[in-house]
Amino acid sequence: MDEKQIIESLQFVLHPKLKKSLIDIGMIKNISVKGGAVTLDLALKSERSPLRKVLVAQIEKAVGALPGVSSVQVGIITLSREEFEKIFPRAPLKGIENVTHFLAVASGKGGVGKTTVAVNLALALAQHGLKVGLMDADIYGPSVPLMLGITETLAQKDNMIIPKEKYGLRIMSLGMTASSNEAFIWRGPLVSKMIHQLFDQVNWGELDYLVIDLPPGTGDPSIAVANAIPHCSILMVTTPQEVALADVRRAIELFHKTGQTIVGLVENMSYFICSHSEQPIEIFGHGGGEKLQEETGIPLLGTLPIDLELQQGGDSGVPLLVSLPDSATSNIFRTIAKKIADQMH
């Protein structure tokens, strides 16, 4: 008896859903034969897989029936993410099948200007001549429609939602489906389902970049995006003060655990330039982004000032990159966008 005979006997042990041999799909590993004792490993998604008992019993029966086998010992190991996705490829999400790059703008804390960064960064990428979409995944408090001055309702064609087009962007937000004062009350499973639909049932078309505005924190929306698009890159937004850095650290840890690539940090509200002085006033402290860069090794791509015109653009529905494209702050956004594009390519 040798390993070849073991492999031949296991050709008839099939995965119940795939109807393929466990040998052929790579779920049998580390076969060893010593005398009449056979040991091997069964690779599953988790050690608690409901298929564990059934498959172990079938393996023991198939191998144990061979002449000369005195014992069969089946160990359980866990498939890596890459192995699992190769064996069980995900059904492609129809809406984003022609999107090249995904960039989620995230923060651990609310009120740091994450949506402002997402909107103007998307516009900066578009001004580089790229095809860009903007998805508002902040399903609890969608504010992208307000910042872009969009009041029209969504249209559908061929059972797909058509994103709105404005300022050279293709835009989708749940804020386009309800009145501005209506509260969205979502629990975990509904959150994940809704995020999935924003990817699958919105006809984004051909895009170079889909910029995704995530809600603050480390909850279901961020996890749902990570699960739906494992190769989605992350841009972290913070402000200089320690209370913001503490929350950003937690968010960074989440994305490291989900295997996302963090392309960089942006420090918002870094300083204020008063009309009476050229000396910057650091209202919220100094060096938070640099400190985080030193701690994590994640590059600090840019620092943005407290800019009244940037805030007014968000309130008026005409973003700064549109109203004042040649301003100093607009140029900072374009520099950040170029650094991201260079890195992601």
Side-chain angles (χ1 to χ4, degrees):
M1 181 183 59
D2 56 22
E3 183 178 331
K4 182 179 179 181
Q5 290 174 289
I6 304 298
I7 291 174
E8 288 175 352
S9 70
L10 291 173
Q11 289 290 345
F12 301 98
V13 181
L14 308 181
H15 190 281
K17 293 182 179 179
L18 299 179
K19 306 300 181 184
K20 295 181 180 179
S21 165
L22 298 184
I23 286 287
D24 292 341
I25 60 179
M27 293 179 67
I28 301 295
K29 300 178 181 292
N30 307 322
I31 298 174
S32 175
V33 182
K34 293 183 179 180
V38 178
T39 61
L40 57 86
D41 289 329
L42 171 63
L44 299 170
K45 182 180 181 182
S46 76
E47 294 185 357
R48 298 180 180 180
S49 170
L51 296 176
R52 174 175 178 165
K53 289 185 178 180
V54 174
L55 294 180
V56 167
Q58 291 180 11
I59 292 168
E60 290 175 341
K61 182 179 179 181
V63 178
L66 291 173
V69 173
S70 58
S71 66
V72 181
Q73 183 176 349
V74 181
I76 302 298
I77 61 175
T78 305
L79 290 164
S80 68
R81 174 191 273 188
E82 292 76 15
E83 290 173 326
F84 182 79
E85 291 180 354
K86 183 178 180 181
I87 296 171
F88 305 97
R90 303 178 186 211
L93 295 169
K94 186 177 180 181
I96 56 173
E97 59 186 0
N98 293 316
V99 177
T100 304
H101 300 291
F102 298 87
L103 177 68
V105 181
S107 68
K109 182 176 175 57
V112 299
K114 173 184 51 56
T115 302
T116 298
V117 171
V119 167
N120 284 281
L121 182 60
L123 288 165
L125 288 167
Q127 289 177 7
H128 278 296
L130 300 166
K131 297 178 181 178
V132 182
L134 176 61
M135 182 179 116
D136 187 355
D138 189 347
I139 62 175
Y140 302 115
S143 52
V144 165
L146 174 64
M147 288 192 173
L148 292 172
I150 297 174
T151 57
E152 303 91 343
T153 57
L154 292 164
Q156 288 193 359
K157 183 178 180 181
D158 299 327
N159 295 321
M160 297 287 286
I161 298 171
I162 308 300
K164 293 295 178 185
E165 296 199 21
K166 192 169 185 179
Y167 303 133
L169 303 177
R170 295 175 192 166
I171 306 148
M172 172 61 195
S173 169
L174 289 181
M176 301 174 188
T177 65
S179 69
S180 59
N181 295 321
E182 183 176 338
F184 290 96
I185 303 173
W186 303 97
R187 301 190 71 174
L190 287 176
V191 170
S192 298
K193 182 179 179 180
M194 183 53 62
I195 295 292
H196 188 276
Q197 288 178 336
L198 289 174
F199 290 127
D200 192 42
Q201 297 180 15
V202 176
N203 186 5
W204 291 103
E206 291 188 7
L207 293 177
D208 297 303
Y209 285 87
L210 178 58
V211 177
I212 304 163
D213 178 31
L214 288 175
T218 56
D220 290 300
S222 297
I223 296 170
V225 169
N227 289 334
I229 310 175
H231 56 287
C232 179
S233 298
I234 309 295
L235 177 70
M236 299 300 306
V237 180
T238 187
T239 51
Q241 67 266 49
E242 182 60 37
V243 68
L245 298 180
D247 288 339
V248 172
R249 290 187 187 99
R250 297 186 187 97
I252 289 173
E253 181 63 20
L254 163 71
F255 293 119
H256 281 161
K257 287 180 178 179
T258 57
Q260 278 16 75
T261 297
I262 302 176
V263 295
L265 306 166
V266 169
E267 183 183 276
N268 194 24
M269 308 181 197
S270 296
Y271 55 89
F272 176 69
I273 300 295
C274 176
S275 59
H276 302 291
S277 171
E278 294 183 359
Q279 187 67 26
I281 303 171
E282 295 173 325
I283 296 174
F284 294 117
H286 171 76
E290 292 178 354
K291 181 179 179 181
L292 205 57
Q293 177 179 241
E294 292 173 1
E295 289 178 10
T296 64
I298 300 169
L300 177 63
L301 302 181
T303 57
L304 292 162
I306 299 172
D307 189 328
L308 296 180
E309 291 167 334
L310 181 63
Q311 173 263 319
Q312 291 168 358
D315 288 345
S316 68
V318 185
L320 186 70
L321 267 287
V322 175
S323 61
L324 294 169
D326 297 323
S327 69
T329 304
S330 292
N331 288 329
I332 295 173
F333 274 114
R334 275 191 288 271
T335 299
I336 294 170
K338 187 177 186 306
K339 289 179 179 179
I340 291 172
D342 290 344
Q343 186 177 156
M344 290 180 68
H345 279 291

